[in-house]
Amino acid sequence: MMKKAGLLLVGVIAAVVLLSNLGSLVGMIISLGILYVAAKKFLQTDSTLGKVIWGIIGFFALSMAVANMPAILGLVAIYILYVIYKKWDEQGKEEADDPFTNFEKQWDELKRS
């Protein structure tokens, strides 16, 4: 029970960190998407003017991505929430598979009868 309380506390903290960094996370996703498109177009174009324009767009997108570095905390919070979710399920399975726990439950039932 104590482990679940600890997992719940860490999960709540991770959720708060995720929500506080949600704006920068969205900004980073958008800027990385623009950077990806700009890099693809930069490599595909043959004209010098096109390369300059796509290079400038790529530079601005890279600047936006760097400005949204707090989004990394949001990504870490997402990973922590994922790990907690997996541990929560494992803990429930361990309790169900433990033969001593099942024996104690059956013993208590026999005592009551």
Side-chain angles (χ1 to χ4, degrees):
M1 185 68 180
M2 197 65 169
K3 275 189 171 183
K4 286 206 177 202
L7 287 175
L8 184 64
L9 179 65
V10 172
V12 167
I13 292 170
V16 168
V17 169
L18 175 63
L19 289 175
S20 67
N21 290 311
L22 199 57
S24 62
L25 192 62
V26 170
M28 181 172 263
I29 290 170
I30 291 170
S31 63
L32 289 177
I34 293 170
L35 181 62
Y36 175 76
V37 170
K40 292 286 272 186
K41 295 291 184 177
F42 179 84
L43 293 174
Q44 288 176 352
T45 189
D46 292 330
S47 70
T48 306
L49 180 63
K51 285 197 182 278
V52 169
I53 291 172
W54 285 115
I56 291 171
I57 292 171
F59 176 74
F60 283 129
L62 182 64
S63 299
M64 286 173 35
V66 170
N68 287 312
M69 276 299 157
I72 292 176
L73 291 174
L75 293 175
V76 170
I78 290 172
Y79 176 73
I80 290 172
L81 286 171
Y82 173 75
V83 169
I84 288 173
Y85 176 74
K86 288 294 184 183
K87 294 249 186 220
W88 195 281
D89 284 346
E90 288 175 6
Q91 196 172 23
K93 290 177 185 175
E94 287 175 5
E95 290 175 0
D97 293 339
D98 186 18
F100 296 108
T101 305
N102 290 334
F103 175 76
E104 289 173 5
K105 287 179 184 176
Q106 289 176 353
W107 187 256
D108 287 337
E109 288 175 10
L110 286 174
K111 279 181 164 180
R112 291 181 191 158
S113 300

